[in-house]
Amino acid sequence: MRAIFLDRDGVICENRSDHVKAWEEFRFLPGALAGLARLAETDFATIVITNQAIVNRGMVAANVIDGIHARMLTTVRRAGGRIDRVMVCPHRSDEYCACRKPQPGMLLQAAAELGIDLVGSYMIGDAMTDMQAGLAAGCRCIMVMTGRGRTQSARTTSAQGEFRLTHDLQHAVELIRYLEAFGVERLTPIPSSAITRPLALPTLPAHALR
């Protein structure tokens, strides 16, 4: 089994400076539901991995985060998408856990429990911590320009690892479908300035990744 790992804030929903503490504060980013629906057409498992240190900071209870995710999953299903699992790290950075991104613990746990081929999988995130976690686990990585992506991508270098930049989740999913359908093995880094130009991908055959 292969998987698409997704960060939550800045990829699926808006990244709030005061954190998402209730369902009423959860706002799907434009194109996120459409991207998840397209992803559901593939054979990849869809796994959300998210740092939620607000739990151990005492800002919100773990069951509230679980409730937000339950409603997120329901909304995604109604829009034709599918999320197979949500994994949460509740730890603060000063707790030095193995699961908080940029550590790859959540990806490794998913691989061990679900039998996921990490080398054949992808990580989509909006921050360098997402890219570092994905690369440490052996995944191919894509940074979206929503959330923190546009700011953080301007500070990246090829020495920090190989990953691709895309506009948003919907665009990232289409890129993955293209790479898989046309047998492209590697993701060539591109400068952040290139993201201002539309990416034209060849039309996929109707049966691609069905």
Side-chain angles (χ1 to χ4, degrees):
M1 177 190 298
R2 297 189 297 160
I4 306 292
F5 293 97
L6 304 171
D7 179 40
R8 193 195 77 178
D9 298 47
V11 177
I12 296 174
C13 66
E14 293 179 2
N15 199 339
R16 295 172 57 102
S17 60
D18 60 345
H19 309 288
V20 177
K21 304 177 294 298
W23 175 247
E24 291 72 24
E25 297 177 345
F26 190 102
R27 298 286 184 273
F28 282 98
L29 285 164
L33 288 172
L36 288 166
R38 286 286 280 167
L39 188 53
E41 298 173 356
T42 75
D43 292 331
F44 286 96
T46 304
I47 301 174
V48 172
I49 56 173
T50 177
N51 290 347
Q52 293 296 324
I54 56 174
V55 173
N56 281 17
R57 290 175 190 161
M59 297 173 64
V60 66
N63 68 314
V64 173
I65 298 296
D66 291 341
I68 292 171
H69 290 154
R71 297 184 73 166
M72 176 184 74
L73 294 177
T74 297
T75 305
V76 169
R77 282 195 300 270
R78 287 174 178 170
R82 167 177 50 81
I83 294 176
D84 300 295
R85 186 165 181 179
V86 179
M87 304 184 72
V88 176
C89 170
H91 303 108
R92 304 182 308 271
S93 58
D94 62 353
E95 294 181 89
Y96 303 106
C97 66
C99 53
R100 179 179 170 84
K101 294 174 291 182
Q103 299 300 321
M106 286 187 282
L107 292 90
L108 299 178
Q109 180 184 345
E113 294 179 357
L114 303 176
I116 293 171
D117 170 19
L118 290 171
V119 174
S121 298
Y122 294 83
M123 174 73 213
I124 302 175
D126 72 315
M128 272 307 303
T129 51
D130 300 318
M131 301 298 97
Q132 291 166 332
L135 290 167
C139 298
R140 288 171 279 185
C141 296
I142 300 172
M143 181 185 284
V144 295
M145 296 297 96
T146 46
R148 296 163 290 175
R150 189 171 295 277
T151 300
Q152 295 206 4
S153 66
R155 300 196 299 266
T156 63
T157 67
S158 59
Q160 292 171 301
E162 183 177 295
F163 57 90
R164 190 73 181 256
L165 305 177
T166 65
H167 299 283
D168 53 25
L169 175 56
Q170 188 174 15
H171 186 195
V173 171
E174 293 306 322
L175 175 61
I176 291 172
R177 291 173 64 95
Y178 163 69
L179 294 172
E180 291 291 317
F182 289 92
V184 179
E185 293 292 332
R186 298 176 63 81
L187 299 181
T188 304
I190 60 175
S192 57
S193 59
I195 207 64
T196 61
R197 300 193 298 271
L199 177 65
L201 299 178
T203 301
L204 297 175
H207 64 277
L209 297 179
R210 295 284 180 171

